[in-house]
Amino acid sequence: EDEEADEPVLLQLWSLLRELCHLNASCPPLMAASLCRTLCDAGLLRHAQSTLRLPIQVPARTLVHGSAQARRRAARLANALAPMRVRCLDVLLCLAHHDPSLLRRYDLTPIVVSTREPDDAERQTLLRTLVGLLSVAREGESRQISELLRGLLDPLAMDSAEERIYLGYAYDRGLTHSLLDHLVATVNELDQVTETTAA
């Protein structure tokens, strides 16, 4: 029974965090900044990244095979995944609107490490997780991710160290190529839909 409740509880927690962040936006600046830092120091961004790395959908075989309890749990998970991502991205957007440096600083350690161990460390960045999610995200999620990327990559909102290290990573380590690949795949998908409709 506890296992069946895991996913809905996680969904409720992200909903609660989203409401907390929205309420925080109306607080005095120093108080709002303190709460944002407290959430980040407590590991919020690490848990957000883990949530965004969950499967986009539950495999169909999981929904039809196994015990009745396993199928119920899989169905609950399938229904919770998309709302969970949306609420998680909402929380990240609230943090980014307040201070995008909070998100960049979370990424700076794996980015610096990735210059020495590129095969492993660079996959730890929130930035790469967001870009990777673009290719499979739904339309609403894509808009959220695009807004997050604009905030994270805006050089006007960076100090000199962030601009040098963070933008250097974003533009030199293949993330722009990933974005272009997503664009090409989306255009090709639209072409196929148009051809099918015309036929």
Side-chain angles (χ1 to χ4, degrees), residues 61-138:
R61 65 178 181 278
T62 308
L63 297 172
V64 296
H65 297 296
S67 66
Q69 182 181 15
R71 291 197 303 272
R72 283 196 303 271
R73 188 171 184 273
R76 289 162 69 89
L77 174 59
N79 292 330
L81 283 173
M84 222 185 297
R85 285 193 303 275
V86 169
R87 287 159 177 73
C88 177
L89 289 168
D90 276 342
V91 171
L92 292 178
L93 279 170
C94 286
L95 292 175
H97 288 160
H98 173 74
D99 183 4
S101 289
L102 290 170
L103 279 67
R104 294 191 202 105
R105 281 197 291 271
Y106 169 77
D107 271 352
L108 283 179
T109 298
I111 285 173
V112 170
V113 172
S114 74
T115 61
R116 299 190 299 271
E117 305 171 30
D119 290 340
D120 297 322
E122 70 176 11
R123 285 195 288 272
Q124 298 174 14
T125 62
L126 179 61
L127 183 61
R128 181 167 287 279
T129 299
L130 291 171
V131 171
L133 191 57
L134 266 179
S135 61
V136 290
R138 300 179 181 184

Side-chain angles (χ1 to χ4, degrees), residues 10-166:
L10 184 56
L11 177 60
Q12 292 167 19
L13 288 172
W14 279 117
S15 299
L16 178 61
L17 282 167
R18 180 174 65 173
E19 293 305 314
L20 180 63
C21 286
H22 286 167
L23 290 172
N24 187 52
S26 60
C27 291
L30 288 178
M31 184 181 297
S34 176
L35 177 61
C36 288
R37 284 195 300 272
T38 298
L39 288 173
C40 291
D41 290 345
L44 174 66
L45 296 178
R46 177 168 50 85
H47 295 304
Q49 192 172 8
S50 296
T51 297
L52 295 178
R53 286 176 169 174
L54 289 171
I56 293 299
Q57 60 186 10
V58 175
R61 65 178 181 278
T62 308
L63 297 172
V64 296
H65 297 296
S67 66
Q69 182 181 15
R71 291 197 303 272
R72 283 196 303 271
R73 188 171 184 273
R76 289 162 69 89
L77 174 59
N79 292 330
L81 283 173
M84 222 185 297
R85 285 193 303 275
V86 169
R87 287 159 177 73
C88 177
L89 289 168
D90 276 342
V91 171
L92 292 178
L93 279 170
C94 286
L95 292 175
H97 288 160
H98 173 74
D99 183 4
S101 289
L102 290 170
L103 279 67
R104 294 191 202 105
R105 281 197 291 271
Y106 169 77
D107 271 352
L108 283 179
T109 298
I111 285 173
V112 170
V113 172
S114 74
T115 61
R116 299 190 299 271
E117 305 171 30
D119 290 340
D120 297 322
E122 70 176 11
R123 285 195 288 272
Q124 298 174 14
T125 62
L126 179 61
L127 183 61
R128 181 167 287 279
T129 299
L130 291 171
V131 171
L133 191 57
L134 266 179
S135 61
V136 290
R138 300 179 181 184
E139 183 178 350
E141 296 164 3
S142 294
R143 285 197 294 268
Q144 290 175 296
I145 295 169
S146 296
E147 187 175 349
L148 266 171
L149 291 175
R150 280 197 299 272
L152 289 175
L153 298 174
D154 181 6
L156 298 179
M158 296 183 185
D159 59 31
S160 57
E162 285 180 334
E163 188 172 349
R164 177 174 52 84
I165 300 174
Y166 200 81

